[in-house]
Amino acid sequence: MTQRSETARVFFQDLSARAKLRVTGADRFRFLNGQITNDLRKANETVAMEACVLNAKGKLNAQIFIAALGESLLIDAEPELRETLRARLERYVIADDVQIEDVTDEFSLFHVLTEEPPALDSGRIVSARRFAATGWDIWSDPARHDAVRNELASAYLFIDSAAADVMRIEQGLPRWGRELTDEIIPIEANLEQRTIDYEKGCYIGREVISRIKMSGQTNKRLCGLISLNNTPLQPGMKLVAPSASGKEAGWITSATRSQRLGKEIALGYVKRGFNNPATNLEARSLDPVGAIPVEVVSLPFP
């Protein structure tokens, strides 16, 4: 492998804990394409595609990545979706020749954020856009987990989940269990460009998504928030209008200290009428911190 460049912004993550499903059977493509928001034709042996799985009301059941592997399709998602995602997909397998297997423990999964694909002695490499830039997923035999990790560490910087979460927040990317829940519609989380293909055929929840696209309006939208007095923000804080009425304007979902920006920042859902950039709000909690003045900003953070 190439020598590590201290000036290059290249790193790798260990995503082996993510839930992994394998979809097989003659009807696998048609079936799965009818369950997801993106066009499955974008996924192949070398490119992973991001998509959402919705319910009939257009709300999220999962955010996933899909790649092809021979006569099968591989899905990966957050670990907490391991059981619920498989059950959700199997619910719609009626007369289809489709089998869905849990293969979480059959693969190790790493992600490398670099423009060029990593040169590894083993492992299957797939292009995947998990952050704001193209990166590479490495699928390998779990028996070689430590060997692959050591090989990657010889060329790239390892970042743990905490550091990756800071970067995720800075880039304005939603995460399952934080910004993404079964009460959120993908458009509200700014997932249109990453996960929705408006030209594809029918899928569960499509009517709601199409209706929102036609109206051009959502009740709330995921926004960036900056603490104006440098007081740390916290998930769960309510956002209110800084007026005597104190009208509720939304809530915070993720928060961190950004060393790059030198500021306390957060992601949160802000209701229509309050989510224009440069709008001033207050973040409030029940503890003695009281009201924290915040400014709404566009994502990703500047």
Side-chain angles (χ1 to χ4, degrees):
M1 299 184 68
T2 58
Q3 293 297 312
R4 177 188 300 177
S5 170
E6 297 298 341
T7 59
R9 191 185 180 199
V10 292
F11 65 82
F12 77 98
Q13 285 181 282
D14 188 345
L15 301 179
S16 299
R18 283 177 68 83
K20 308 174 194 74
L21 301 177
R22 179 164 52 209
V23 183
T24 57
D27 298 328
R28 64 186 181 281
F29 186 95
R30 179 187 57 77
F31 167 78
L32 191 56
N33 208 35
Q35 305 297 317
I36 61 174
T37 55
N38 216 336
D39 190 336
L40 191 53
R41 289 177 295 181
K42 300 174 185 176
N44 55 49
E45 293 267 358
T46 59
V47 178
M49 180 194 71
E50 186 178 2
C52 293
V53 179
L54 310 179
N55 63 21
K57 295 182 179 180
K59 295 184 178 181
L60 284 161
N61 287 147
Q63 177 200 28
I64 63 176
F65 283 83
I66 309 171
L69 176 61
E71 298 298 312
S72 65
L73 296 164
L74 287 179
I75 299 172
D76 72 90
E78 289 286 354
E80 54 264 44
L81 292 171
R82 181 172 181 175
E83 295 183 4
T84 58
L85 176 57
R86 182 180 181 182
R88 156 63 178 80
L89 293 175
E90 288 182 335
R91 189 181 312 138
Y92 290 93
V93 178
I94 301 174
D96 307 283
D97 180 8
V98 172
Q99 297 79 45
I100 303 171
E101 303 172 81
D102 184 335
V103 293
T104 300
D105 300 326
E106 294 184 23
F107 295 95
S108 290
L109 177 60
F110 296 90
H111 182 73
V112 182
L113 187 64
T114 179
E115 292 185 3
E116 299 297 326
L120 291 176
D121 293 334
S122 63
R124 177 170 168 269
I125 299 175
V126 180
S127 174
R129 195 177 181 88
R130 294 184 184 267
F131 290 95
T134 298
W136 304 89
D137 287 346
I138 301 164
W139 293 76
S140 66
D141 188 321
R144 285 192 44 79
H145 174 275
D146 292 348
V148 173
R149 177 169 173 145
N150 290 338
E151 191 174 358
L152 290 172
S154 70
Y156 307 110
L157 300 173
F158 172 75
I159 62 167
D160 59 20
S161 57
D165 204 48
V166 172
M167 189 174 73
R168 173 189 72 82
I169 295 171
E170 290 176 337
Q171 295 183 356
L173 300 176
R175 179 181 176 183
W176 189 264
R178 300 283 191 86
E179 292 72 36
L180 304 180
T181 71
D182 57 10
E183 291 299 320
I184 297 299
I185 296 171
I187 298 174
E188 298 173 332
N190 303 325
L191 287 174
E192 307 101 302
Q193 293 184 350
R194 295 175 66 95
T195 69
I196 297 175
D197 189 314
Y198 288 109
E199 303 301 322
K200 69 167 288 185
C202 294
Y203 59 87
I204 295 171
R206 182 176 183 243
E207 290 184 6
V208 175
I209 299 300
S210 297
R211 189 161 60 244
I212 293 176
K213 182 179 185 295
M214 291 180 63
S215 70
Q217 293 185 335
T218 59
N219 293 329
K220 57 186 177 294
R221 179 74 71 162
L222 185 65
C223 298
L225 301 160
I226 295 178
S227 172
L228 294 179
N229 63 6
N230 217 27
T231 301
L233 302 168
Q234 300 173 8
M237 281 184 163
K238 300 296 183 183
L239 300 172
V240 298
S243 62
S245 64
K247 189 173 181 180
E248 187 171 326
W251 67 94
I252 292 176
T253 53
S254 296
T256 191
R257 171 75 181 178
S258 171
Q259 298 298 332
R260 181 174 65 84
L261 299 175
K263 297 177 180 179
E264 298 288 339
I265 64 173
L267 299 178
Y269 283 102
V270 186
K271 296 180 179 179
R272 189 170 63 209
F274 298 96
N275 55 21
N276 292 323
T279 298
N280 288 336
L281 300 172
E282 290 181 351
R284 296 182 182 178
S285 64
L286 298 178
D287 60 33
V289 171
I292 302 171
V294 299
E295 180 182 352
V296 177
V297 298
S298 300
L299 293 172
F301 285 90

